[in-house]
Amino acid sequence: MMNMNRLNRYKHIILSGVLLIASMGLSAQSENLGSREFSFYVNGAFSYLNYQLNHDEGDRSGRGGVGFGLQYAYYLNSHWSVSAGLEVQQYRSQVVFDDFTGSYQTTDIEGESFEFRYSAATYRERQSVTLLNVPVRIQYERGSDDLKFYASGGLAMGLPIRGIFKTTAFDLNTSAYFPQWDALLTSPKFMGFGSWGFQKSGKQDLDVRSSYAFLLEAGVKKNLKEKRNLYVGIFANIPFNSVVKTAETTGSLISYNAAQPTKLTYNTVLESSPGGEGSTYAGHMKTIGLGLKLRYAFAL
């Protein structure tokens, strides 16, 4: 309930910002002030997924992502403008576990209970989230006709386009311990137990939801020729919420498939936990946008 109230509050903040900017634009238009500007831009390359690791293992690092977008601005006067746009932005990160081990209780095809164990010299998971961001901004600029300094702030809602993860395991080994017989099986491989060497999964879907963020940007605006400008700046998108629901685990990081023992199931660190119980390996994933932005603008 708390998370839902918080999300509704973010939506109200963004909606209020949109209404404020729209009212400013309508007021200025009624007075026939300002001009219009259309631009396209690219940004990056330090946009990444930030999340907390819930256990004393693993090393998370951002892999960076790039984005591109379109922006339409309306000038209220020579210094102030309001804008809205559309932006496709990618965020990527990875987590690496060294000397990784895990286990959980399951059953084989005959219904016998056992402890499935696995280990890897290195276990790596990479995540990638792509959002369609809808930003609204207020910009202030000042300087000569040839060169100006600018700063802007605003809000954005990010709609999920795609979320994926894929895993890689180096020197993967699996075994089964049957406590009722005090027996440890490290083979046969056709039963899912043995040395697998290097393994990697294909791309798997990552369930993500909308993101809400506060936008900051500053830089210089260079006039190239009449009605053509180049913006060079740095930006930061500060998120309000997690794009992945934080919940109790849905299973182990690597799962045994009794029906097809040679086909192991790889689960994301955001939905799995040690022993298949308790808190997940990672949670509270947020989209962080940082880096350089280049924008080419046409005065209309």
Side-chain angles (χ1 to χ4, degrees), residues 171-174 189 192-199 261-264:
D171 192 20
L172 177 65
N173 292 275
T174 60
K189 201 168 182 180
F193 315 128
S195 178
W196 302 89
F198 173 79
Q199 294 288 309
T262 59
K263 293 186 178 180
L264 301 174

Side-chain angles (χ1 to χ4, degrees), residues 59-275:
D59 181 24
R60 186 205 62 80
S61 60
R63 297 176 54 227
V66 297
F68 58 91
L70 303 173
Q71 180 174 307
Y72 177 81
Y74 182 86
Y75 277 81
L76 306 177
N77 53 45
S78 60
H79 298 301
W80 291 95
S81 64
V82 294
S83 66
L86 289 174
E87 172 188 284
V88 175
Q89 178 69 53
Q90 184 185 50
Y91 308 85
R92 302 190 303 162
S93 284
Q94 70 175 15
V95 59
V96 176
F97 301 95
D98 292 320
D99 297 323
F100 182 67
T101 61
S103 64
Y104 78 106
Q105 291 294 133
T106 186
T107 57
D108 62 17
I109 196 169
E110 296 178 351
E112 291 287 350
S113 176
F114 72 97
E115 183 182 64
F116 179 66
R117 299 176 177 178
Y118 50 86
S119 65
T122 301
Y123 188 89
R124 180 182 67 202
E125 178 181 313
R126 289 179 170 176
Q127 308 94 11
S128 175
V129 170
T130 304
L131 298 179
L132 176 62
N133 291 327
V134 184
V136 289
R137 296 182 177 91
I138 299 176
Q139 178 174 298
Y140 178 79
E141 58 188 72
R142 192 176 188 90
S144 66
D145 292 339
D146 183 61
L147 184 67
K148 295 181 179 180
F149 294 92
Y150 77 92
S152 68
L155 300 165
M157 177 175 67
L159 305 175
I161 297 176
R162 190 182 188 190
I164 61 171
F165 73 95
K166 54 185 179 180
T167 60
T168 304
F170 298 85
D171 192 20
L172 177 65
N173 292 275
T174 60
S175 60
Y177 176 67
F178 292 83
Q180 59 270 41
W181 302 308
D182 191 24
L184 177 63
L185 300 182
T186 58
S187 64
K189 201 168 182 180
F190 70 83
M191 287 298 296
F193 315 128
S195 178
W196 302 89
F198 173 79
Q199 294 288 309
K200 66 177 180 178
S201 72
K203 294 179 180 179
Q204 301 182 75
D205 290 336
L206 188 64
D207 187 20
V208 295
R209 57 184 177 180
S210 297
S211 172
Y212 301 88
F214 181 64
L215 312 177
L216 292 173
E217 185 179 339
V220 295
K221 175 183 179 181
K222 171 66 176 176
N223 179 251
L224 301 178
K225 57 182 179 179
E226 186 179 3
K227 295 186 176 182
R228 299 291 185 270
N229 295 292
L230 177 65
Y231 290 81
V232 180
I234 55 175
F235 75 96
N237 298 349
I238 305 170
F240 295 151
N241 68 307
S242 172
V243 294
V244 174
K245 294 181 180 179
T246 301
E248 289 301 301
T249 180
T250 58
S252 178
L253 197 58
I254 301 178
S255 297
Y256 180 77
N257 186 341
Q260 296 179 298
T262 59
K263 293 186 178 180
L264 301 174
T265 300
Y266 300 91
N267 303 304
T268 175
V269 294
L270 296 159
E271 297 177 355
S272 56
S273 65

